[in-house]
Every structure is written in structure tokens, then in C-alpha cells.
Amino acid sequence: MSTSPADPHLPAVHLRPPSNWINDPNGLVFHEGHYHVFFQYNPHGPQHANMHWGHYRSPDLINWEPLPVALTPTPGGYDADGCYSGNAVSDGNRMVAFYSAHRNDRWWQPITTAESSDNGHTWAKRPDLLIPEPPVGTTMYRDPYVWRQGERWRMLVGSALVDGRAAAQLYESDDLEQWTYRGPFHTSSTTGQGPVGWECPQYATFGDQGVLILSDWTPQGGPSHTTVVTGREKDGHFEAATAPVPLDHGPDFYAPALLKVPGEDRWLMWGWAWEARDDAWAHEAGWAGVLTLPREVSLADGTVAQRPARELLALRGPRILHGTGYVTWTEPAELGQVSHTFDLTAALVPDSTGTSGLRLITSADGSEYLDISLDPTAGRLVIDRTHASPDVRARGGAYTAPCRAAARPHTPVELRVIVDRSIAEVYLADEQVLTLRFYPSTDGPWRLQARTTGAGRSEFAVAAWNLAPKDVRNETRSARWAAQSA
């Protein structure tokens, strides 16, 4: 995990190297006692280019150790212009990484592999491509996701079809070497609505039910957002029982990746939170992109739920804020100060005549703030970053997530909010999530208020803990990444 006192926006407990560009999490795997997280990484600058696979590992999801860059493009090779996204599996004493081999002189990204037999310190690429050509009728092809199901290995590859549909293509293998194409596992509708292609398909099973996660892409706009559908597999095809819905309701979340925890009925997920500021600012800062904190993903009554991984409680220090009471529109309640990296829980009973919630004030004069509120009329959670930064290079806007409980009179709504300098992950009690980035301009203390705009009153119970990274080897970590970036 990265810390930098020189840059107040660089997250402290979210995973990323100290500098340069990152995007998609890749290759999530548990192998010989460690969680391994790989990610798209440009060691030469804060822009999307020169894609390598960066690599961290951890025994506990708390203490993270940087390992050498796992995958590097081979000059003149099949991945000469980038080792793009994919995933990894544990197979005996080796890890096998599956990735998209990018060259600027072809439109598709063939699938290939590299493997490590020394716990991820060194990697050997296969001499030839694993799957060199896409299926007939495909117009986009990349991002393998491999998992073991029963006695066989299975693979999904994101794609677009010539008829305008997005598709996740299915392959199967007995040995990770010889793969048989089975056809589209799932496709978008034929109505012409929705994405042209799907990137980074991910699949999790819960008994006989499945969860399919898809990152929507168009050639005009590129990556846009991530959706999830639930259903069941039948004869090699995924039959959706629900319409696609947002996996995360925020504007700054994309390309999540899944990891099944061995020996547990538990799935973990990391996502990419991109920057919500212009490229020139990111270039000045020398870094762009961050991975979300690990989330636990579950399925209940056909609905996908997310919550922070239970291990993250170990990041909490002593409780620094606790308050209960009520507010009216004339008297906001001052709850106290928090650090720039904190974990908060709240139970809010909104005023039925207005919006009610919390305000994170990040400037001494109160002009900069992030609002987290409940709208009982619309039955929604609203996160508003319009006033979160005075810098015109930062994106503003208000974003919503459904919250039926907010519309029920006298019903408390539970929230968990994790803020880390320039990223906020907001979890609703029904386990919907909204992730966004924001960029306060001041280094001074932050404080919290409870507020309402209604004519009645809103009740609250709030507690907060400052968070701190447990891995204190920051100088060693920064030096290693600097050496790899040289």
C-alpha cells in the first residue's frame, strides 16, 4: 500500500505503487499462503501505455509486499506493445498467468500465458500463443478469465460480435494447454441498446446459481461502466434471470476482478478507480489510478451484495469519533474531526420532508465538502462532489444509488463509508456500493457534520476510526518500485 506525504491525494491504504499509471486488477490468485494481486502498470509514466503487470502479494490482505514486475512486453514479440489484462490460477507448485497479447498491428489480442514456479518472483512466457485467433464473426477480443469448475478448466474471453452484440466467449480445457471453443457463453440483446463489446468478463458460482460481471465498452467512448447479471448455466450457456444492473453506482469504477478464497465459501473482488481529473493534472502529480479495497461478493435472493473484506477491520486505529442525536435544518450537528483516511459507520433516520445525511468538510471555511445524503422521496442515496474541489480540472456532479429503506418512515439506514484521501467507497446496508474520486485542495483537518434540509428532524448515530497502513516498509517499497521504473 502506498503513502506519500508530498501528495495529499495519493491514497494511503488502497493498493497502488508510489508513482505512474495503473488500471485493471489482473491475475487475482491465492497461492502457497499468499494473496497475489497483479494490475496493469506503466512503469514509465502516468499514462496508459507500455502495459506491464505490476505485482503485490499479502498473507492477510493488510500487509502488502511489492514483488518484481511480473510481465513485460517482449520487443518484436507477440506482446510487443503491451501485456494486457487477464487473470491467473494456482496449479500445483506453479502459478499460470493468462493475458492478452497486444500489438498495434492487429485489432484482436490473442490469449497467451506465462508461469512462475517461485511464488511469483520470476515468470517464463510460453514460446507461442495459446489461442492465436478469435472465433469467426468477432470484432473485438481480449481479457481472458480462467477458473476451475469440477474436473475441467474454463475460460471466458471478452468480445464484440459482427452483428453488434457484446459477448463472453467460452473455452474449456483438461490441462490448461489444449483449449476447445464452446461458443458464446452469454451475449447482449439484439436491440442495438447497450455496449458494443464486453471487457474483463468475470464469473462466480454460488451453488447452482451464477454471477456474471461485464465491463461495458464502445469504440467511440471506450470503457464506460460495469454491469452484473445473475442466473444459471445450462448446456454451456448462461441464462440470465435478471436484467443487467450496475455493479457499482459511482462514476469511477471499472474492470473488477474476482478471487475465490480457497477453503472458504467466499469471493473477493478488486476494481479499478480511475482519475476524475484531467490528464495534465495527473501528469503533474506523476501517478494515475488506484485499486479499490478488497470487497466480499455474495448472492442473496438473486441480488449481488458487496461489503468491505472483513480483514480490513484490522486497519482501524482507536475510535476517534462517536455521536448520536438529531439535527434540524437550522442546526447541523458538528460530529468532530477525522483524518484524511478513515472508516465510518452510520445509522441515519432521514427526515421525510427533505434530504438528510453527512457532510465531509475539507476546508477551514467550509466551502469545500463532499455530501453523502438520503433522499426519501426518490428512495435514493446521493453522493454530491460538486463542491469537493475548487479546481476546475476536477470532475464534479452528483451520483445516486437505489435505497428503498430511505423511503420508509422512521426506518434507520445503515452506511459504511471508507475515505482515503482522494477516493470514497460508500456502502449501503443493502450492500449496494458507490465509488468516486474527489480532490480536496487543503491539507488541514477534515470534519464531519450531520445535516438535513427538511422541515422536521433527522436522527443519526455515527462512529469513525482513522485508518493506517500496517506495512511500514515504505522506503524499501518506494525504492524497489523506483528501480523497476528506471
Side-chain angles (χ1 to χ4, degrees), residues 175-207:
D175 59 4
L176 295 178
E177 290 292 328
Q178 302 298 319
W179 291 86
T180 301
Y181 175 56
R182 298 299 189 191
F185 186 63
H186 188 61
T187 64
S188 62
S189 69
T190 58
T191 62
Q193 304 294 320
V196 171
W198 283 328
E199 297 187 296
C200 304
Q202 305 284 303
Y203 188 60
T205 55
F206 299 86

Side-chain angles (χ1 to χ4, degrees), residues 343-355:
D343 186 353
L344 174 148
T345 61
L348 306 176
V349 180
D351 181 348
S352 61
T353 64
T355 60

Side-chain angles (χ1 to χ4, degrees), residues 48-85:
H48 185 273
N50 307 306
M51 285 296 98
H52 295 53
W53 275 33
H55 186 190
Y56 277 101
R57 73 173 185 177
S58 171
D60 54 12
L61 300 180
I62 299 297
N63 298 287
W64 290 94
E65 174 190 4
L67 293 186
V69 169
L71 301 180
T72 299
T74 300
Y78 51 61
D79 58 6
D81 297 309
C83 300
Y84 277 21
S85 292

Side-chain angles (χ1 to χ4, degrees), residues 323-405:
T324 61
Y326 68 89
V327 291
T328 65
W329 72 271
T330 58
E331 295 185 72
E334 296 289 343
L335 302 178
Q337 291 187 356
V338 291
S339 75
H340 296 189
T341 299
F342 66 89
D343 186 353
L344 174 148
T345 61
L348 306 176
V349 180
D351 181 348
S352 61
T353 64
T355 60
S356 307
L358 303 174
R359 174 169 290 182
L360 174 62
I361 300 172
T362 58
S363 65
D365 64 1
S367 63
E368 291 181 39
Y369 53 86
L370 181 73
D371 274 338
I372 303 170
S373 58
L374 299 169
D375 182 345
T377 301
R380 290 189 176 275
L381 167 76
V382 183
I383 313 295
D384 190 345
R385 65 180 179 192
T386 302
H387 302 281
S389 175
D391 196 312
V392 296
R393 298 174 298 174
R395 298 185 192 120
Y399 302 89
T400 67
C403 180
R404 292 187 297 271

Side-chain angles (χ1 to χ4, degrees), residues 23-358:
N23 58 287
D24 306 359
N26 295 149
L28 306 185
V29 62
F30 188 86
H31 181 73
E32 297 193 357
H34 285 87
Y35 298 92
H36 293 260
V37 173
F38 304 83
F39 48 89
Q40 293 284 278
Y41 173 54
N42 177 6
H44 306 302
Q47 58 277 335
H48 185 273
N50 307 306
M51 285 296 98
H52 295 53
W53 275 33
H55 186 190
Y56 277 101
R57 73 173 185 177
S58 171
D60 54 12
L61 300 180
I62 299 297
N63 298 287
W64 290 94
E65 174 190 4
L67 293 186
V69 169
L71 301 180
T72 299
T74 300
Y78 51 61
D79 58 6
D81 297 309
C83 300
Y84 277 21
S85 292
N87 82 321
V89 298
S90 177
D91 180 42
N93 66 349
R94 65 175 184 157
M95 284 188 286
V96 183
F98 293 77
Y99 68 100
S100 305
H102 178 61
R103 285 183 62 111
N104 293 332
D105 58 4
R106 62 172 176 246
W107 62 261
W108 73 98
Q109 294 171 14
I111 309 307
T112 193
T113 65
E115 65 177 72
S116 172
S117 297
D118 59 3
N119 296 310
H121 286 82
T122 62
W123 293 80
K125 297 180 183 178
R126 65 183 299 115
D128 52 358
L129 292 166
L130 181 71
I131 303 177
E133 299 284 341
V136 175
T138 304
T139 61
M140 183 198 92
Y141 185 78
R142 53 179 172 266
D143 306 338
Y145 171 71
V146 178
W147 76 103
R148 190 169 188 88
Q149 189 167 337
E151 297 302 314
R152 58 187 169 171
W153 294 96
R154 313 186 81 194
M155 178 195 299
L156 295 180
V157 181
S159 68
L161 304 181
V162 69
D163 63 7
R165 291 179 296 159
Q169 309 277 10
L170 177 65
Y171 296 79
E172 294 183 338
S173 173
D174 294 325
D175 59 4
L176 295 178
E177 290 292 328
Q178 302 298 319
W179 291 86
T180 301
Y181 175 56
R182 298 299 189 191
F185 186 63
H186 188 61
T187 64
S188 62
S189 69
T190 58
T191 62
Q193 304 294 320
V196 171
W198 283 328
E199 297 187 296
C200 304
Q202 305 284 303
Y203 188 60
T205 55
F206 299 86
D208 65 346
Q209 298 183 78
V211 169
L212 185 60
I213 296 172
L214 304 158
S215 292
D216 292 359
W217 176 90
T218 63
Q220 298 81 18
S224 58
H225 61 283
T226 301
T227 57
V228 60
V229 291
T230 64
R232 288 178 169 83
E233 181 183 348
K234 183 178 180 181
D235 299 327
H237 299 281
F238 182 77
E239 297 184 347
T242 61
V245 295
L247 181 67
D248 186 297
H249 297 271
D252 305 318
F253 178 92
Y254 193 71
L258 291 169
L259 167 62
K260 179 70 161 59
V261 180
E264 299 183 30
D265 188 20
R266 187 164 65 126
W267 289 86
L268 297 176
M269 182 180 74
W270 282 257
W272 166 37
W274 51 45
E275 297 301 308
R277 54 183 175 176
D278 70 18
D279 292 342
W281 189 357
H283 188 78
E284 292 170 12
W287 65 277
V290 62
L291 300 189
T292 66
L293 292 172
R295 302 174 181 179
E296 297 182 11
V297 178
S298 58
L299 182 64
D301 299 325
T303 300
V304 174
Q306 301 169 65
R307 65 186 67 189
R310 62 198 70 173
E311 288 87 348
L312 298 179
L313 293 174
L315 291 171
R316 288 178 175 177
R319 190 176 67 185
I320 46 90
L321 181 154
H322 180 258
T324 61
Y326 68 89
V327 291
T328 65
W329 72 271
T330 58
E331 295 185 72
E334 296 289 343
L335 302 178
Q337 291 187 356
V338 291
S339 75
H340 296 189
T341 299
F342 66 89
D343 186 353
L344 174 148
T345 61
L348 306 176
V349 180
D351 181 348
S352 61
T353 64
T355 60
S356 307
L358 303 174

Side-chain angles (χ1 to χ4, degrees), residues 7-24:
D7 188 342
H9 297 132
L10 189 65
V13 299
H14 284 70
L15 198 59
R16 63 152 292 118
S19 62
N20 298 319
W21 170 279
I22 75 165
N23 58 287
D24 306 359

